[in-house]
Amino acid sequence: AQSVTQLDSQVPVFEEAPVELRCNYSSSVSVYLFWYVQYPNQGLQLLLKYLSGSTLVESINGFEAEFNKSQTSFHLRKPSVHISDTAEYFCAVSDRDQGGKLIFGQGTELSVKP
Amino acid sequence: ETGVTQSPTHLIKTRGQQVTLRCSSQSGHNTVSWYQQALGQGPQFIFQYYREEENGRGNFPPRFSGLQFPNYSSELNVNALELDDSALYLCASSLGAGGTDTQYFGPGTRLTVL
């Protein structure tokens, strides 16, 4: 069965520093990958997604993630974080066989300090 | 364009009771998926409805049931509530039921079982 591992449960970082949130998934023939962000007491918002094509995908607020098939990873990066990026980040995967079922990781709490 | 809405926002029940949670999908979306998010965990897939039919189910007992209506809104019903059912229940809608169809989440219903 498909599974997702987010390697860090908490990532503290100072404002304007770079950050990487790590995500690995179990191998499958055809996977689709997503990063969602959850602010306190809110639902999930889509940050970015990989469906096919270019392995590097970007969000409108400066995040990017790279699909690495050989390492079964989809790490999220941002070169310079802001206080407002403080939130919980979830990596999720679906695949061709599971249809619309999203499998989520446990989440990474990003805490940006001034 | 109205996003995904859920009601109620908060709910307190006692063990053994029954509860109904509601979800209105985004305009034009025919698929609704339900997830349970326990405190400190990633969301877990409960089931998905596509054009009023159940289209996949996660590892949840039969006391979790659902409906989708002709306007594509949906209900999640939970019978014989247990303490472990305390969680944030998230609804997501999408244009279709495939793995590439992005799911847009509502704000969630926080259920507390005493």
Side-chain angles (χ1 to χ4, degrees), chain A residues 5-105:
Chain A
T5 302
Q6 291 184 241
L7 296 159
D8 306 292
S9 58
Q10 293 180 319
V11 174
V13 65
F14 287 106
E15 194 173 18
E16 298 183 5
V19 71
E20 178 180 78
L21 308 183
R22 296 179 292 170
C23 172
N24 286 92
Y25 62 93
S26 56
S27 179
S28 179
V29 176
S30 221
V31 293
Y32 313 109
L33 295 152
F34 305 81
W35 276 99
Y36 284 87
V37 59
Q38 186 175 37
Y39 298 100
N41 300 313
Q42 294 187 27
L44 302 173
Q45 298 175 29
L46 179 69
L47 196 56
L48 47 73
K49 61 185 177 183
Y50 169 80
L51 302 181
S52 66
S54 172
T55 56
L56 185 66
V57 289
E58 298 176 351
S59 73
I60 58 172
N61 57 354
F63 282 94
E64 64 178 30
E66 186 158 19
F67 170 59
N68 188 320
K69 188 173 182 179
S70 63
Q71 298 189 7
T72 60
S73 69
F74 190 56
H75 300 334
L76 182 70
R77 301 183 183 94
K78 190 171 185 180
S80 175
V81 292
H82 303 289
I83 298 285
S84 59
D85 292 324
T86 295
E88 188 89 19
Y89 290 79
F90 291 96
C91 180
V93 62
S94 65
D95 63 37
R96 186 185 56 196
D97 297 330
Q98 294 287 327
K101 174 182 177 180
L102 279 174
I103 306 297
F104 284 87

Side-chain angles (χ1 to χ4, degrees), chain B residues 48-111:
Chain B
Q48 182 184 77
Y49 279 84
Y50 170 65
R51 294 186 175 181
E52 302 180 60
E53 298 286 329
E54 187 177 291
N55 182 52
R57 187 179 182 93
N59 190 27
F60 280 82
R63 58 190 187 83
F64 285 78
S65 63
L67 278 175
Q68 188 178 32
F69 300 100
N71 66 355
Y72 302 131
S73 66
S74 177
E75 284 183 358
L76 164 66
N77 298 289
V78 187
N79 293 322
L81 283 167
E82 301 177 0
L83 297 179
D84 284 349
D85 295 334
S86 294
L88 181 67
Y89 288 85
L90 295 165
C91 157
S93 75
S94 51
L95 279 171
T100 59
D101 289 297
T102 300
Q103 296 186 25
Y104 296 90
F105 285 80
T109 293
R110 173 77 61 189
L111 173 65

